[in-house]
Coordinates of all heavy atoms in Angstrom, one line a residue:
M361 N -58.8 114.8 331.2 CA -57.5 114.3 330.7 C -57.2 114.8 329.3 O -56.1 115.0 329.0 CB -57.6 112.8 330.8 CG -56.2 112.1 330.6 SD -55.0 112.8 331.8 CE -54.5 111.3 332.5
R362 N -58.3 115.0 328.5 CA -58.1 115.5 327.2 C -57.4 116.9 327.2 O -56.6 117.2 326.3 CB -59.4 115.5 326.4 CG -59.9 114.2 326.1 CD -61.1 114.2 325.3 NE -61.7 112.9 325.2 CZ -62.9 112.7 324.7 NH1 -63.7 113.7 324.4 NH2 -63.4 111.5 324.6
A363 N -57.8 117.7 328.2 CA -57.3 119.0 328.3 C -55.8 119.0 328.5 O -55.0 119.8 328.0 CB -58.0 119.8 329.4
I364 N -55.3 118.1 329.4 CA -53.9 117.9 329.7 C -53.2 117.4 328.4 O -52.1 117.9 328.1 CB -53.7 117.0 330.9 CG1 -54.2 117.7 332.1 CG2 -52.2 116.6 331.0 CD1 -54.1 116.8 333.4
D365 N -53.8 116.5 327.7 CA -53.1 116.1 326.4 C -53.0 117.2 325.4 O -52.0 117.4 324.8 CB -54.0 114.9 325.8 CG -53.9 113.7 326.6 OD1 -53.0 113.5 327.4 OD2 -54.8 112.8 326.5
A366 N -54.0 118.0 325.3 CA -54.0 119.2 324.4 C -52.9 120.2 324.9 O -52.2 120.7 324.0 CB -55.4 119.9 324.4
L367 N -52.8 120.4 326.2 CA -51.8 121.3 326.7 C -50.4 120.8 326.5 O -49.4 121.5 326.2 CB -52.0 121.7 328.1 CG -53.2 122.6 328.4 CD1 -53.5 122.7 329.8 CD2 -52.9 124.0 327.8
T368 N -50.2 119.5 326.6 CA -48.9 118.9 326.3 C -48.5 119.1 324.9 O -47.3 119.4 324.6 CB -49.0 117.3 326.6 OG1 -49.4 117.2 328.0 CG2 -47.6 116.7 326.4
Q369 N -49.4 119.0 324.0 CA -49.1 119.3 322.6 C -48.9 120.8 322.3 O -48.1 121.2 321.5 CB -50.3 118.8 321.7 CG -50.4 117.3 321.6 CD -51.6 116.9 320.9 OE1 -52.4 117.7 320.3 NE2 -51.8 115.6 320.8
L370 N -49.6 121.7 323.1 CA -49.4 123.1 323.0 C -48.0 123.6 323.3 O -47.6 124.6 322.8 CB -50.4 123.8 323.9 CG -50.4 125.3 323.9 CD1 -50.9 125.9 322.5 CD2 -51.3 125.9 325.0
R371 N -47.3 122.8 324.1 CA -46.0 123.3 324.5 C -45.0 123.4 323.4 O -43.9 124.0 323.5 CB -45.4 122.4 325.7 CG -45.0 121.0 325.2 CD -44.4 120.3 326.4 NE -44.5 118.9 326.1 CZ -44.2 118.0 327.0 NH1 -43.9 118.3 328.3 NH2 -44.3 116.7 326.8
H372 N -45.4 122.8 322.2 CA -44.5 122.8 321.1 C -44.9 123.9 320.1 O -44.5 123.9 318.9 CB -44.5 121.4 320.4 CG -44.0 120.4 321.3 ND1 -42.7 120.3 321.8 CD2 -44.6 119.3 321.8 CE1 -42.6 119.3 322.6 NE2 -43.7 118.7 322.6
T373 N -45.7 124.8 320.5 CA -46.2 125.9 319.6 C -45.8 127.2 320.1 O -45.3 127.4 321.2 CB -47.8 125.9 319.6 OG1 -48.3 126.3 320.8 CG2 -48.3 124.5 319.3
P374 N -45.9 128.3 319.2 CA -45.5 129.6 319.6 C -46.3 130.2 320.8 O -46.0 131.1 321.4 CB -45.7 130.5 318.4 CG -45.8 129.5 317.3 CD -46.2 128.2 317.8
Y375 N -47.5 129.6 321.0 CA -48.4 130.1 322.1 C -48.1 129.5 323.5 O -48.7 129.9 324.4 CB -49.8 129.7 321.7 CG -50.2 130.2 320.4 CD1 -50.4 129.3 319.3 CD2 -50.5 131.6 320.2 CE1 -50.7 129.8 318.1 CE2 -50.8 132.1 318.9 CZ -51.0 131.2 317.9 OH -51.3 131.6 316.6
A376 N -47.1 128.7 323.6 CA -46.8 128.0 324.8 C -46.4 129.0 325.9 O -46.8 128.8 327.1 CB -45.7 127.0 324.6
V377 N -45.6 130.0 325.6 CA -45.1 130.9 326.7 C -46.3 131.7 327.2 O -46.4 131.8 328.4 CB -44.0 131.8 326.1 CG1 -43.7 132.9 327.1 CG2 -42.8 131.1 325.7
E378 N -47.2 132.1 326.3 CA -48.3 132.9 326.8 C -49.3 132.0 327.6 O -49.8 132.4 328.6 CB -49.1 133.5 325.6 CG -50.3 134.3 325.9 CD -50.0 135.6 326.7 OE1 -48.8 136.0 326.8 OE2 -50.9 136.1 327.3
A379 N -49.5 130.8 327.1 CA -50.4 129.9 327.9 C -49.8 129.6 329.2 O -50.5 129.6 330.2 CB -50.5 128.6 327.1
Q380 N -48.5 129.4 329.3 CA -47.9 129.1 330.6 C -48.0 130.3 331.6 O -48.3 130.1 332.8 CB -46.4 128.8 330.5 CG -46.1 127.4 329.9 CD -44.7 127.2 329.7 OE1 -43.8 127.8 330.2 NE2 -44.4 126.2 328.9
R381 N -47.9 131.5 331.0 CA -48.0 132.7 331.8 C -49.4 132.8 332.4 O -49.7 133.1 333.6 CB -47.7 133.9 331.0 CG -47.6 135.2 331.9 CD -47.5 136.5 331.0 NE -48.7 136.7 330.2 CZ -49.8 137.2 330.6 NH1 -50.0 137.4 331.9 NH2 -50.8 137.4 329.8
L382 N -50.4 132.5 331.5 CA -51.8 132.6 332.0 C -52.1 131.6 333.0 O -52.8 131.8 334.0 CB -52.8 132.5 330.8 CG -52.8 133.6 329.8 CD1 -53.6 133.3 328.6 CD2 -53.4 134.9 330.5
I383 N -51.6 130.4 332.8 CA -51.8 129.3 333.8 C -51.2 129.7 335.2 O -51.7 129.5 336.2 CB -51.3 127.9 333.3 CG1 -52.2 127.5 332.1 CG2 -51.2 126.9 334.4 CD1 -51.6 126.3 331.4
Q384 N -50.0 130.2 335.1 CA -49.3 130.6 336.3 C -50.1 131.7 337.1 O -50.0 131.7 338.4 CB -47.9 131.2 336.0 CG -46.9 130.1 335.7 CD -45.5 130.6 335.5 OE1 -45.2 131.2 334.5 NE2 -44.6 130.4 336.5
T385 N -50.8 132.5 336.5 CA -51.6 133.5 337.2 C -52.7 132.8 338.0 O -53.1 133.3 339.1 CB -52.3 134.5 336.3 OG1 -53.2 133.9 335.4 CG2 -51.2 135.3 335.5
K386 N -53.1 131.6 337.6 CA -54.2 130.9 338.3 C -53.6 130.1 339.5 O -54.4 129.7 340.4 CB -54.9 129.9 337.4 CG -55.6 130.6 336.3 CD -56.7 131.5 336.9 CE -57.5 132.2 335.8 NZ -58.4 133.2 336.4
L387 N -52.3 130.1 339.7 CA -51.7 129.4 340.8 C -51.9 130.2 342.1 O -51.7 129.6 343.2 CB -50.2 129.1 340.6 CG -49.9 128.1 339.5 CD1 -48.4 128.1 339.2 CD2 -50.4 126.7 339.9
S388 N -52.3 131.4 342.0 CA -52.6 132.2 343.2 C -54.0 132.5 343.4 O -54.4 133.3 344.2 CB -51.7 133.5 343.2 OG -52.1 134.2 342.0
D389 N -54.9 131.8 342.6 CA -56.3 132.0 342.7 C -56.8 131.6 344.1 O -56.3 130.6 344.8 CB -57.0 131.1 341.7 CG -58.5 131.4 341.5 OD1 -59.3 130.9 342.3 OD2 -58.8 132.2 340.6
P390 N -57.8 132.3 344.7 CA -58.3 131.9 346.0 C -58.9 130.5 346.1 O -58.9 129.9 347.2 CB -59.3 133.0 346.4 CG -59.4 133.9 345.2 CD -58.4 133.4 344.2
D391 N -59.4 130.0 345.0 CA -60.1 128.7 345.0 C -59.0 127.6 344.9 O -58.2 127.5 343.9 CB -61.0 128.6 343.8 CG -61.8 127.3 343.7 OD1 -61.4 126.3 344.4 OD2 -62.8 127.2 343.0
P392 N -58.9 126.7 345.9 CA -57.9 125.7 345.8 C -58.0 124.7 344.6 O -56.9 124.2 344.1 CB -58.0 124.9 347.2 CG -59.4 125.3 347.6 CD -59.7 126.6 347.1
Y393 N -59.2 124.5 344.2 CA -59.3 123.6 343.0 C -58.8 124.2 341.7 O -58.3 123.5 340.8 CB -60.8 123.1 342.9 CG -61.2 122.3 344.1 CD1 -62.0 122.8 345.1 CD2 -60.7 121.0 344.2 CE1 -62.3 122.1 346.2 CE2 -61.0 120.2 345.3 CZ -61.8 120.8 346.3 OH -62.1 120.0 347.4
V394 N -58.9 125.5 341.6 CA -58.3 126.2 340.5 C -56.8 126.1 340.6 O -56.1 125.9 339.5 CB -58.8 127.7 340.5 CG1 -58.0 128.5 339.4 CG2 -60.2 127.8 340.2
R395 N -56.2 126.3 341.8 CA -54.8 126.1 341.9 C -54.3 124.7 341.5 O -53.3 124.5 340.9 CB -54.3 126.5 343.3 CG -54.5 127.9 343.7 CD -53.9 128.4 345.0 NE -54.2 127.6 346.2 CZ -55.2 127.9 347.0 NH1 -56.0 128.9 346.7 NH2 -55.4 127.2 348.1
I396 N -55.0 123.7 342.0 CA -54.7 122.3 341.6 C -54.8 122.1 340.1 O -53.8 121.6 339.5 CB -55.6 121.3 342.3 CG1 -55.3 121.3 343.8 CG2 -55.5 119.9 341.8 CD1 -56.3 120.6 344.7
F397 N -55.8 122.6 339.5 CA -56.0 122.4 338.1 C -54.9 123.1 337.3 O -54.3 122.6 336.4 CB -57.4 123.0 337.7 CG -57.8 122.8 336.3 CD1 -58.2 121.6 335.8 CD2 -57.7 123.8 335.3 CE1 -58.6 121.4 334.5 CE2 -58.1 123.7 334.0 CZ -58.6 122.4 333.6
A398 N -54.5 124.3 337.7 CA -53.5 125.1 337.1 C -52.1 124.4 337.3 O -51.3 124.3 336.3 CB -53.4 126.5 337.7
L399 N -51.9 123.8 338.4 CA -50.6 123.2 338.7 C -50.5 121.9 337.8 O -49.4 121.7 337.2 CB -50.5 122.8 340.1 CG -49.2 122.1 340.5 CD1 -48.0 122.9 340.2 CD2 -49.2 121.7 342.0
R400 N -51.5 121.2 337.7 CA -51.5 120.0 336.8 C -51.3 120.4 335.3 O -50.5 119.7 334.7 CB -52.9 119.2 336.9 CG -53.1 118.5 338.2 CD -54.4 117.9 338.2 NE -54.7 117.2 339.4 CZ -55.9 116.7 339.8 NH1 -56.9 116.8 339.0 NH2 -56.0 116.1 341.0
H401 N -51.9 121.4 334.9 CA -51.7 121.8 333.5 C -50.4 122.4 333.2 O -49.8 122.1 332.2 CB -52.9 122.8 333.1 CG -54.1 122.0 332.8 ND1 -54.9 121.5 333.8 CD2 -54.8 121.7 331.7 CE1 -55.9 120.9 333.3 NE2 -55.9 121.0 332.0
L402 N -49.9 123.2 334.2 CA -48.6 123.8 334.0 C -47.5 122.6 334.0 O -46.6 122.6 333.2 CB -48.2 124.7 335.2 CG -46.9 125.4 335.1 CD1 -46.8 126.3 333.8 CD2 -46.7 126.3 336.3
N403 N -47.7 121.7 334.8 CA -46.8 120.5 334.9 C -46.8 119.7 333.6 O -45.8 119.2 333.1 CB -47.1 119.6 336.1 CG -46.0 118.6 336.3 OD1 -44.8 119.0 336.5 ND2 -46.3 117.4 336.3
A404 N -48.0 119.6 333.0 CA -48.1 118.9 331.7 C -47.4 119.6 330.6 O -46.8 119.0 329.7 CB -49.6 118.7 331.3
M405 N -47.5 121.0 330.6 CA -46.8 121.8 329.6 C -45.3 121.9 329.8 O -44.6 121.9 328.8 CB -47.4 123.2 329.5 CG -48.8 123.2 329.0 SD -49.4 124.9 328.9 CE -48.3 125.5 327.6
N406 N -44.9 122.0 331.0 CA -43.5 122.3 331.3 C -43.2 121.6 332.6 O -43.3 122.3 333.7 CB -43.2 123.8 331.3 CG -41.8 124.1 331.5 OD1 -41.0 123.4 332.0 ND2 -41.4 125.3 331.0
P407 N -42.7 120.4 332.6 CA -42.5 119.7 333.9 C -41.5 120.4 334.8 O -41.7 120.3 336.1 CB -42.0 118.3 333.5 CG -42.5 118.1 332.1 CD -42.6 119.5 331.5
Q408 N -40.5 121.0 334.3 CA -39.5 121.7 335.1 C -40.2 122.9 335.9 O -40.0 123.0 337.1 CB -38.4 122.2 334.3 CG -37.3 122.9 335.1 CD -36.1 123.3 334.3 OE1 -36.1 123.3 333.0 NE2 -35.1 123.8 334.9
L409 N -40.9 123.7 335.1 CA -41.6 124.8 335.8 C -42.7 124.3 336.7 O -42.9 124.9 337.8 CB -42.2 125.7 334.7 CG -42.9 127.0 335.1 CD1 -41.9 127.8 335.9 CD2 -43.4 127.8 333.9
G410 N -43.4 123.2 336.3 CA -44.4 122.6 337.2 C -43.8 122.2 338.5 O -44.4 122.4 339.6
A411 N -42.6 121.6 338.5 CA -41.9 121.2 339.7 C -41.5 122.4 340.6 O -41.7 122.3 341.8 CB -40.7 120.3 339.4
Q412 N -41.1 123.4 339.9 CA -40.8 124.6 340.7 C -42.0 125.2 341.4 O -41.9 125.6 342.6 CB -40.2 125.7 339.8 CG -38.8 125.4 339.2 CD -38.3 126.4 338.2 OE1 -39.1 127.3 337.8 NE2 -37.1 126.3 337.8
E413 N -43.1 125.3 340.7 CA -44.3 125.8 341.3 C -44.8 124.8 342.4 O -45.4 125.2 343.4 CB -45.4 126.1 340.3 CG -45.0 127.2 339.4 CD -45.0 128.6 340.1 OE1 -45.5 128.7 341.2 OE2 -44.4 129.5 339.5
A414 N -44.7 123.5 342.2 CA -45.1 122.5 343.2 C -44.3 122.7 344.5 O -44.9 122.6 345.5 CB -44.9 121.1 342.6
E415 N -43.1 123.0 344.4 CA -42.3 123.2 345.6 C -42.8 124.4 346.4 O -42.9 124.3 347.6 CB -40.8 123.5 345.2 CG -40.1 122.2 344.8 CD -38.6 122.5 344.5 OE1 -38.1 123.6 344.6 OE2 -37.9 121.5 344.1
R416 N -43.2 125.4 345.7 CA -43.8 126.6 346.3 C -45.1 126.3 347.0 O -45.4 126.7 348.1 CB -43.9 127.8 345.3 CG -44.4 129.0 345.9 CD -44.6 130.1 344.9 NE -45.6 129.8 343.9 CZ -46.9 130.0 344.1 NH1 -47.3 130.4 345.3 NH2 -47.8 129.7 343.2
L417 N -45.9 125.4 346.3 CA -47.3 125.1 346.8 C -47.2 124.1 347.9 O -48.3 123.8 348.4 CB -48.1 124.7 345.6 CG -48.6 125.8 344.6 CD1 -49.3 125.2 343.5 CD2 -49.4 126.9 345.4
L418 N -46.1 123.5 348.2 CA -46.0 122.6 349.4 C -46.4 123.4 350.6 O -46.7 122.7 351.7 CB -44.6 122.0 349.5 CG -44.2 121.0 348.5 CD1 -42.8 120.6 348.7 CD2 -45.1 119.7 348.6
F419 N -46.3 124.7 350.6 CA -46.6 125.5 351.8 C -48.0 126.2 351.7 O -48.3 127.1 352.4 CB -45.5 126.6 352.0 CG -44.2 125.9 352.2 CD1 -43.3 125.9 351.1 CD2 -43.8 125.3 353.4 CE1 -42.0 125.3 351.2 CE2 -42.6 124.7 353.5 CZ -41.7 124.7 352.5
D420 N -48.8 125.7 350.7 CA -50.1 126.3 350.6 C -51.0 126.0 351.8 O -50.8 124.9 352.4 CB -50.8 125.6 349.3 CG -52.0 126.3 348.9 OD1 -53.1 126.0 349.4 OD2 -51.9 127.2 348.1
P421 N -51.9 126.9 352.2 CA -52.7 126.6 353.4 C -53.7 125.5 353.2 O -54.2 124.9 354.2 CB -53.5 128.0 353.6 CG -53.3 128.8 352.4 CD -52.1 128.2 351.6
N422 N -54.0 125.1 351.9 CA -55.0 124.0 351.7 C -54.3 122.7 351.6 O -53.4 122.5 350.8 CB -55.8 124.4 350.4 CG -56.8 123.3 350.1 OD1 -56.5 122.3 349.6 ND2 -58.1 123.7 350.5
E423 N -54.8 121.7 352.3 CA -54.2 120.4 352.4 C -54.2 119.7 351.0 O -53.3 119.0 350.6 CB -54.9 119.5 353.4 CG -54.2 118.2 353.6 CD -54.9 117.3 354.6 OE1 -55.6 117.9 355.5 OE2 -54.7 116.1 354.6
E424 N -55.3 119.8 350.3 CA -55.4 119.2 349.0 C -54.4 119.7 348.0 O -53.9 119.0 347.2 CB -56.8 119.3 348.4 CG -57.8 118.5 349.3 CD -59.3 118.7 348.8 OE1 -59.5 118.9 347.6 OE2 -60.2 118.6 349.6
V425 N -54.2 121.0 348.0 CA -53.2 121.6 347.1 C -51.8 121.1 347.5 O -51.0 120.8 346.6 CB -53.2 123.2 347.2 CG1 -52.1 123.8 346.4 CG2 -54.6 123.7 346.7
R426 N -51.5 121.1 348.8 CA -50.2 120.5 349.2 C -50.0 119.1 348.8 O -48.9 118.7 348.4 CB -50.0 120.6 350.8 CG -49.9 122.1 351.3 CD -49.5 122.1 352.7 NE -50.3 121.3 353.6 CZ -51.4 121.7 354.3 NH1 -51.8 123.0 354.2 NH2 -52.1 120.9 355.1
S427 N -51.1 118.3 348.9 CA -51.0 116.9 348.5 C -50.7 116.8 347.0 O -49.9 115.9 346.6 CB -52.3 116.2 348.9 OG -52.3 114.9 348.4
E428 N -51.4 117.6 346.2 CA -51.2 117.5 344.7 C -49.7 118.0 344.4 O -49.1 117.4 343.6 CB -52.2 118.5 344.0 CG -52.1 118.4 342.5 CD -52.5 117.1 341.9 OE1 -53.3 116.4 342.5 OE2 -51.9 116.7 340.9
A429 N -49.3 119.0 345.1 CA -47.9 119.5 344.8 C -46.9 118.3 345.2 O -45.9 118.1 344.5 CB -47.6 120.7 345.7
S430 N -47.2 117.7 346.3 CA -46.3 116.6 346.7 C -46.3 115.4 345.7 O -45.2 114.9 345.3 CB -46.8 116.0 348.1 OG -46.0 114.9 348.4
L431 N -47.4 115.1 345.1 CA -47.5 114.1 344.1 C -46.7 114.5 342.9 O -46.0 113.6 342.3 CB -49.0 113.8 343.7 CG -49.8 113.0 344.7 CD1 -51.2 112.9 344.3 CD2 -49.2 111.6 344.9
I432 N -46.8 115.7 342.5 CA -46.1 116.2 341.3 C -44.6 116.1 341.5 O -43.9 115.6 340.6 CB -46.6 117.6 340.9 CG1 -47.9 117.5 340.2 CG2 -45.6 118.3 340.0 CD1 -48.6 118.8 339.9
L433 N -44.2 116.4 342.7 CA -42.7 116.3 343.0 C -42.3 114.9 343.0 O -41.2 114.6 342.6 CB -42.4 117.1 344.3 CG -42.5 118.6 344.2 CD1 -42.4 119.2 345.5 CD2 -41.5 119.1 343.2
K434 N -43.1 114.0 343.5 CA -42.8 112.6 343.6 C -42.6 112.0 342.2 O -41.7 111.3 341.8 CB -43.8 111.8 344.3 CG -43.7 111.9 345.8 CD -44.8 111.1 346.5 CE -44.8 111.4 348.0 NZ -45.8 110.6 348.7
Y435 N -43.6 112.4 341.3 CA -43.5 111.9 339.9 C -42.3 112.5 339.2 O -41.6 111.9 338.4 CB -44.7 112.2 339.1 CG -45.9 111.3 339.4 CD1 -47.1 111.7 339.9 CD2 -45.7 109.9 339.1 CE1 -48.1 110.9 340.1 CE2 -46.8 109.1 339.4 CZ -48.0 109.5 339.8 OH -49.0 108.7 340.1
D436 N -42.0 113.8 339.5 CA -40.9 114.5 338.9 C -39.5 113.8 339.2 O -38.7 113.8 338.4 CB -40.8 116.0 339.4 CG -39.7 116.8 338.8 OD1 -39.7 116.8 337.5 OD2 -38.9 117.4 339.5
K437 N -39.5 113.2 340.4 CA -38.2 112.6 340.8 C -38.2 111.1 340.5 O -37.3 110.3 340.8 CB -38.0 112.7 342.3 CG -37.8 114.2 342.7 CD -37.6 114.4 344.1 CE -37.4 115.9 344.4 NZ -37.5 116.2 345.8
G438 N -39.3 110.6 339.8 CA -39.4 109.2 339.4 C -39.8 108.3 340.5 O -39.7 107.1 340.3
V439 N -40.4 108.8 341.5 CA -40.8 108.0 342.6 C -42.3 107.8 342.5 O -43.1 108.8 342.3 CB -40.5 108.6 344.0 CG1 -41.1 107.8 345.1 CG2 -39.0 108.8 344.2
Q440 N -42.8 106.6 342.5 CA -44.2 106.3 342.4 C -44.9 106.5 343.8 O -44.4 106.0 344.8 CB -44.5 104.9 341.9 CG -44.0 104.6 340.5 CD -44.6 105.5 339.5 OE1 -45.8 105.7 339.5 NE2 -43.9 106.0 338.6
P441 N -46.0 107.3 343.8 CA -46.7 107.5 345.1 C -47.3 106.2 345.7 O -47.6 105.3 345.1 CB -47.8 108.5 344.8 CG -48.0 108.4 343.3 CD -46.8 107.8 342.7

């Protein structure tokens, strides 16, 4: 959780764009847990971009990734899971 808090603060720095780009590269990692971790962090830094990527990951072959993407979209729309 501390990492997400740190990334939330990072979004207000000049390094935010580069950090987001690096995190986005991990959204296509073969390891589903890396994709989940990257999605959570991207969403913490930029909720709009996180929601866009979550929509794409709703079609991921891994059920856990799809579930995480669904949760992010539910939170994005203000619906509690």
